[in-house]
Amino acid sequence: MNRHHWWRDAVIYQVYVRSFLDSTGDGVGDLAGVRAGLPYLKKLGVDGIWLSPFYPSPQHDHGYDVADYCDVDPLFGDLAEFDLLVRAARRLGVKVLLDIVPNHCSSEHPWFREALASPPGSAARARFHFADGRGPDGAEPPNNWHAMFGGPAWTRVADGQWYLHMFTPEQPDWNWRNPEIGAEFARILRFWLDRGVDGFRIDVAAGLFKHPDLPDSPDPEADARTRDSVNPLAWNQPEVHDVWRQWRALCDEYAARDGRERLLVGEVSVPSAREHARYVRPDELHQAFFFDLLGAPWNPDAFRKVISEAMQDIAGTGSTVTWVLNNHDQVRTVTRYGELAPEGSGSGPASEVAPAGRRPARAPILEPASHGSDGGTPFAAPGESPSTSSTRASARHAESTLPHPRTALRTARAGGTPTTPPGPPFGRTTPLPTQALGAARARAAALLMLALPGAAYIYQGEELGLPEVVDLPDDVLTDPIFRRTGSRARIRDGCRVPLPWSGQASPFGFTSGVEGVKPWLPQPEWFAEHATDRALADTRSFWHLYRDGLQLRASLPQLGEGTLRWLDTPPGVLAFARGDDLVCAVNFGTAPTPAPVPGTPLLASGPCPDAGVLPGSTTAWWITDPTSTPNP
């Protein structure tokens, strides 16, 4: 990988801090827990981590309502602990990206509190979108916009004016037409860059600016209906590109000092790949998440279409495509690619597929297909039977097992063996639904993504094959969407349940087990099947598939940055070549089909017992003889 442009083919692991690892026993993950988990992530093979917001916040939207952009919430640690984390990551060669939230802040932010205490027309109110209402006595909102998380996008204050919030009333939107806001965020970026961070993930990067006249929308409920940034008057305004040029120049200034390139990656939701490409022009963002792959239905034509559009429009700017299959807002891939979730699980209907170029706010769970032969057999390495692979797994147990991150935490503080509180009073002994098909497809999608040209992001827990927790009780739900609407549709708690690290019962090593303290969201009993200690010990696991794919990606010059060439394939199969001699093929069907390349694969997402045959719901990589021609 080119060291100067490390980001062009980097693989970044998203750490949802409150659900990663708890070092203090309060049931909430923290920065010390992330630091303890760094060796695990290094062994997995990622190039960097993206940390979800850990700033001081009342936590109405789990940190995306920021009260102070230049400090650490005591819930997660302090600045000294953050500095230790950055230094530990630097020693391991792991980059650190922060999540920055420039579209809105918390209603507890000092500037917003000052605005509430100031009169209409004041400089303090000019930092936000305050406006007089319509109708008699200004009793109606200034326009008809609705917030993405439900309800009106305006809230009235005591003196009669209204303020704009495109998400919740606790998240007032900044007025980026006021130059004071741009100057403040430049200060914030410098604060963290001076502390050694390697870049920023930008929340709602197509936001910031609103139409200057704040006119009525022809479809005011579009954002709430789709849980996405659809209102063309509130998102994707042309002025936002000037902000990203300024931020890019600021990052380039730091790179010029020490040769370390800082990364800007945007959460960009726009109508098309062509529009998306405007955000990654050479003087703007380095990367922007391309959500189309995440939202594509499970069929080869859809995948080929979105990949081709990305390669043509985004890579054509000189940037690289930034692929993603999941994040903290999405239904986990194992569930999404499996059977249709029961009503009220927090997932949209199967028919909800995002338009080209736009991320689905909660990606659809697809209709179940017949289970055929794929997904039901434990994974074995190419050329091995499942029984042989199991023997190999036992033999490699000592090699593959890492010291548990909890051990590192115990060396830093006194305390005996933790007690394990009883498991949560909900859930089933197995995931609902049982998702052999979804697991096979999720493995296939992961190996496909890692073979594509460009960068890739992995959400925590995907490397464990975690399904969505679809049956959390109402009384534990924390998503503001549920609080605002009373509906479980598209809620996000199910993909945010704390990770299982070890053991047979909650808290599965996530928290120290202080008596009476449980993880902030309850873990189901079946999390034991996906615990990290099991995954590390079993070479058939999701974890080893990701680790093997990442190792090959780092070592093979054909992978990472570059181009691809589509190959002719039979129906239901997608195949492409990287370089002269690496072929990646995906069988989207459930029945075996002739492989595009003879011989045993270099790596496969599922068992491939017969050379020259690609089983259903399986991706495989081959190194071919460059003088040979792949099978048609």
Side-chain angles (χ1 to χ4, degrees), residues 12 106 110 117 133 179 223 243 265 286 298 324 334 345 349 376 429 452 480 510 546 559 566:
I12 306 296
S106 166
D223 289 2
V243 174
V265 54
H286 301 81
W298 184 257
V324 59
V334 167
S345 70
T429 57
L452 291 172
F510 166 74
Y546 270 94
L559 294 174
W566 294 112

Side-chain angles (χ1 to χ4, degrees), residues 236-418:
N236 197 28
Q237 300 297 298
E239 297 91 340
V240 75
H241 295 281
D242 291 332
V243 174
W244 307 141
R245 292 186 184 98
Q246 293 163 14
W247 286 27
R248 180 63 175 265
L250 192 155
C251 287
D252 289 348
E253 172 191 324
Y254 278 77
R257 295 180 191 174
D258 57 17
R260 289 195 304 114
E261 198 163 15
R262 275 63 165 191
L263 168 65
L264 296 173
V265 54
E267 181 194 33
V268 173
S269 181
V270 289
S272 68
R274 182 168 298 178
E275 189 71 21
H276 184 284
R278 297 182 63 217
Y279 285 81
V280 292
R281 289 176 290 194
D283 61 344
E284 295 193 41
L285 305 179
H286 301 81
Q287 298 176 340
F289 295 125
F290 186 65
F291 293 108
D292 291 47
L293 191 68
L294 184 159
W298 184 257
N299 72 69
D301 292 338
F303 271 61
R304 179 165 178 163
K305 179 177 184 293
V306 299
I307 293 168
S308 295
E309 288 177 349
M311 295 302 298
Q312 174 181 324
D313 294 327
I314 298 170
T317 66
S319 181
T320 56
V321 185
T322 305
W323 308 102
V324 59
L325 289 171
N326 210 280
N327 62 37
H328 64 292
D329 289 331
Q330 304 297 330
V331 176
R332 286 196 175 274
T333 55
V334 167
T335 302
R336 193 171 76 241
Y337 289 139
E339 297 174 333
L340 186 64
E343 184 178 354
S345 70
S347 306
S351 61
E352 289 188 12
V353 176
R358 185 173 295 282
R359 66 176 173 92
R362 284 291 273 167
I365 298 176
L366 304 179
E367 292 283 2
S370 59
H371 278 250
S373 62
D374 66 318
T377 306
F379 174 72
E384 291 184 331
S385 67
S387 60
T388 303
S389 180
S390 297
T391 302
R392 179 168 62 91
S394 299
R396 287 182 54 190
H397 177 86
E399 172 197 339
S400 63
T401 303
L402 278 170
H404 190 279
R406 183 67 57 206
T407 303
L409 293 173
R410 288 177 184 140
T411 63
R413 64 172 190 268
T417 302

